[in-house]
Amino acid sequence: MITDYVFIVFSLVLLFVGAEGLVRGSTTLALRAGLSPLIVGLTVVAFGTSSPELVVSVKAGLSQQGDIAVGNVVGSNIFNIAFILGLTALVCPIPVHRQIIKIDAPIALGVALILVFFLLDQALGRFEGGLLFVGIVAYTWVNVVLARKETTTIATPSDPLTPVVSRHWIVDILFILGGLAVLVIGSSLLVEHSINLAKDFGVSDAVIGLTIVAAGTSMPELATSIVAAFRKQPDIAIGNIVGSNIFNILGILGLSSLISPLSAAGISTLDYATMIVFTVILIPLLYTGRLLHRLEGGLLLFLYGAYIFALWPA
């Protein structure tokens, strides 16, 4: 049991390091193309920080552990909104870009509803996975089109959060490949030893995926959004979370179920309802004054604590 604790902590460190390398390389490549901080946050950073969830869910699906694959995504989406945005708002109230309110937050709600509809039979097949994956391709294309309409510049050393463009694109590629390799190792360790530890306590695969694995794979999002809040980069802070939630459903579950159909009988109505409710709550919270206040952040954290309290005895 002690060995499992040690490996879980070590795997979380690997996930953080791997995601950092992947995000740094991906972001600087995007900045070479002149993308805005909001578009970088919604796509490159969001997809990069979601890479641990991708590797974990694909691995779990191939191991016929559909509850962990789906629970990881549902739990991560809940954790992203309630815990990460809640904590980030407590650190520093977050101004909200108009595009988030009008386009991306409604899309996040829409794809969450589509996922729940697809999972009414407690399974995701390859056809449904294909539809989800087409969705992430379309979403990315829309963001690229929106980016082309904006006048953008490449980041300079005065930008305290976004990495300065490296001297050569090969450096960016090395960061991306190295980050992916570390993520694969870290996610494998996290899944294996989290399952071992939780089963020692009699916890189901579904609860493992919804809590331990979901929180663990969301550490890159947590670190990125907290740093963004401290350094006054709200577009990256909130774009990272909203974009990650969209990618988790469309990209991760889409690809995972394309590779191997998923069965998720252990994920309850409470879990799906909580994901939907938090996503619904997010829209008016963002709309009020176009600022996520500390009081609203505290409310999100309280609601997350209530969800965990209700979930864990199961």
Side-chain angles (χ1 to χ4, degrees):
M1 184 177 292
I2 294 177
T3 302
D4 290 322
Y5 280 115
V6 172
F7 273 103
I8 287 173
V9 172
F10 179 58
S11 68
L12 291 177
V13 173
L14 290 180
L15 288 175
F16 182 85
V17 172
E20 172 66 20
L22 179 59
V23 169
R24 177 174 296 187
S26 300
T27 302
T28 53
L29 274 179
L31 292 172
R32 287 180 187 279
L35 299 181
S36 70
L38 177 62
I39 299 301
V40 170
L42 284 167
T43 55
V44 180
V45 175
F47 298 176
T49 55
S50 288
S51 49
E53 287 97 324
L54 174 61
V55 179
V56 166
S57 287
V58 169
K59 179 177 174 58
L62 289 172
S63 302
Q64 303 304 310
Q65 293 170 316
D67 282 342
I68 288 181
V70 176
N72 175 36
V73 166
V74 173
S76 290
N77 280 18
I78 294 170
F79 187 83
N80 284 350
I81 293 175
F83 188 87
I84 297 180
L85 272 187
L87 185 60
T88 303
L90 282 179
V91 171
C92 178
I94 310 171
V96 183
H97 195 286
R98 188 181 300 273
Q99 179 185 324
I100 295 286
I101 299 171
K102 288 190 171 183
I103 299 176
D104 299 286
I107 288 176
L109 175 59
V111 299
L113 290 170
I114 290 171
L115 176 65
V116 173
F117 175 75
F118 281 172
L119 284 167
L120 287 176
D121 60 354
Q122 300 181 329
L124 273 179
R126 286 194 171 94
F127 176 73
E128 295 160 324
L131 292 177
L132 293 176
F133 194 76
V134 168
I136 195 60
V137 173
Y139 174 73
T140 305
W141 178 79
V142 167
N143 272 292
V144 170
V145 170
L146 291 174
R148 288 176 177 174
K149 294 181 179 180
E150 298 181 4
T151 302
T152 60
T153 57
I154 293 178
T156 65
S158 62
D159 187 331
L161 179 69
T162 306
V164 178
V165 176
S166 59
R167 294 183 178 180
H168 201 283
W169 62 268
I170 292 180
V171 175
D172 302 330
I173 298 298
L174 290 176
F175 268 110
I176 292 171
L177 295 178
L180 284 172
V182 174
L183 282 171
V184 170
I185 297 171
S187 61
S188 297
L189 291 174
L190 177 66
V191 171
E192 178 183 351
H193 294 281
S194 294
I195 292 172
N196 291 343
L197 185 61
K199 287 189 173 178
D200 286 340
F201 289 100
V203 179
S204 69
D205 280 356
V207 174
I208 294 170
L210 287 161
T211 56
I212 299 172
V213 177
T217 55
S218 292
M219 288 301 105
E221 285 96 328
L222 175 60
T224 299
S225 289
I226 292 295
V227 170
F230 270 121
R231 297 184 177 180
K232 311 299 182 185
Q233 288 286 338
D235 286 345
I236 289 181
I238 198 164
N240 171 41
I241 296 304
V242 175
S244 289
N245 279 21
I246 294 170
F247 180 74
N248 285 350
I249 293 174
L250 297 180
I252 293 176
L253 286 184
L255 183 60
S256 297
S257 54
L258 268 176
I259 294 173
S260 177
L262 304 175
S263 174
I267 311 299
S268 71
T269 302
L270 170 66
D271 306 313
Y272 296 129
T274 301
M275 178 181 65
I276 297 297
V277 167
F278 276 129
T279 309
V280 169
I281 289 175
L282 180 63
I283 296 175
L285 287 183
L286 296 180
Y287 189 79
T288 53
R290 292 178 58 191
L291 187 74
L292 192 60
H293 299 276
R294 286 191 172 93
L295 180 61
E296 294 165 332
L299 174 63
L300 289 173
L301 286 171
F302 173 79
L303 292 175
Y304 183 72
Y307 167 68
I308 294 298
F309 180 79
L311 176 70
W312 194 256

